Amino acid sequence: MKIAARETASLVIGLIGIVLLGIGLNRVLDIGSCASGGSYAIARPCPEGTTLSFWLAMAGALMWILGIIVSKQNFSAPGAGQVLWTAGFAGGGAAMLVKVLTQPSMPPDARLGASIVAGIFIPMGLVVGIVGVVQLVRQRRTNNGARTGDPRRRGAPTGAVRDPWSRFKALNDLRSTGALTREEFDVLKVDLAGSGPDGRRKPAADRVALIRQLADQRASGALSTAEFEAGKRSVLRGERVDSPER
């Protein structure tokens, strides 16, 4: 499945789940604690439709989680996964907080529970949302550098990143954005440590630069994930030494 189609499916499934979860939870919060059935006297029986509201909320939660799982990006890069996480936690928590503040008819137990959940959910959602914004800004800067031919942004092997610190920083950036697995990162890190500080770079430094170019092209949509992975494997095997420009 192409990345665009997968991300679209992730958003559709997840957003539908968030809507169903919101409808179900809204009804459950209006009801508060109750009980039904059994041979004992029940102080507050559940109104009709309570079971349906509960299962509606459960189904919505499962669809929301499924939407996050379907997203190819998950949390390694800006995408549907981050949007759904932020919307579900921060949006849902904010909605519950608004309900607590504006609906005095809520049962006391439901009001307390909703306040606690809102206090937990809002920060959980905002943290991922802020991380996504930071990643998006960095990604846009990288893409702009690639389009303008700035070799520091493109990671070009022809003389831009000459000092060891910049080389290791480029390697860490690839790892932090998910372009490299832990094993690939460790291999390149060991090889890169042998590059001299005089600007004479060994093949490992060139491979880091080439993989960075491939990652930039994937981020800009010029390469699919499958094409990126195939190109990266070729670079790691030493089969591809030319610039992967398309």
Side-chain angles (χ1 to χ4, degrees):
M1 182 185 294
K2 295 292 185 180
I3 293 180
R6 186 165 181 171
E7 293 297 285
T8 300
S10 170
L11 281 174
V12 171
I13 295 171
L15 291 176
I16 292 176
I18 290 174
V19 171
L20 295 179
L21 176 61
I23 294 173
L25 277 180
N26 183 66
R27 176 61 177 161
V28 170
L29 289 174
D30 286 338
I31 295 171
S33 60
C34 64
S36 298
S39 57
Y40 300 97
I42 297 174
R44 191 163 182 267
C46 294
E48 185 178 353
T50 300
T51 302
L52 177 61
S53 299
F54 172 79
W55 286 112
L56 185 64
M58 288 295 296
L62 291 175
M63 289 185 67
W64 170 47
I65 295 172
L66 178 61
I68 295 176
I69 295 174
V70 168
S71 173
K72 179 65 176 178
Q73 301 295 345
N74 291 324
F75 303 109
S76 62
Q82 289 183 346
V83 171
L84 291 175
W85 180 281
T86 303
F89 279 109
M96 282 190 281
L97 185 60
V98 170
K99 187 176 180 68
V100 169
L101 296 175
T102 61
Q103 188 169 322
S105 60
M106 282 182 65
D109 54 345
R111 179 182 298 276
L112 175 61
S115 300
I116 294 173
V117 171
I120 296 173
F121 277 20
I122 293 176
M124 288 178 62
L126 289 180
V127 167
V128 173
I130 293 171
V131 170
V133 171
V134 172
Q135 289 178 330
L136 186 60
V137 170
R138 292 179 60 185
Q139 187 179 94
R140 287 183 179 276
R141 288 178 178 174
T142 300
N143 293 341
N144 290 337
R147 285 194 295 269
T148 58
D150 184 352
R152 291 173 298 177
R153 298 292 185 183
R154 298 171 62 189
T158 55
V161 187
R162 302 190 64 85
D163 61 282
W165 168 251
S166 297
R167 299 173 198 168
F168 281 110
K169 183 178 184 301
L171 183 63
N172 284 323
D173 287 344
L174 289 172
R175 169 62 180 155
S176 65
T177 57
L180 291 176
T181 64
R182 183 68 194 182
E183 293 75 15
E184 294 166 345
F185 171 82
D186 290 338
V187 169
L188 288 174
K189 183 178 179 181
V190 171
D191 292 343
L192 198 59
S195 298
D198 57 354
R200 291 186 178 183
R201 305 191 306 161
K202 292 187 175 182
D206 295 334
R207 284 185 291 177
V208 170
L210 289 170
I211 293 173
R212 188 174 177 181
Q213 285 187 352
L214 290 169
D216 289 345
Q217 291 180 15
R218 179 183 66 168
S220 65
L223 290 179
S224 67
T225 297
E227 291 171 333
F228 166 75
E229 292 294 336
K232 180 178 67 173
R233 288 193 295 269
S234 297
V235 171
L236 290 171
R237 290 195 298 264
E239 299 173 359
R240 186 171 187 167
V241 295
D242 297 326
S243 175
E245 296 290 343
R246 294 176 49 141

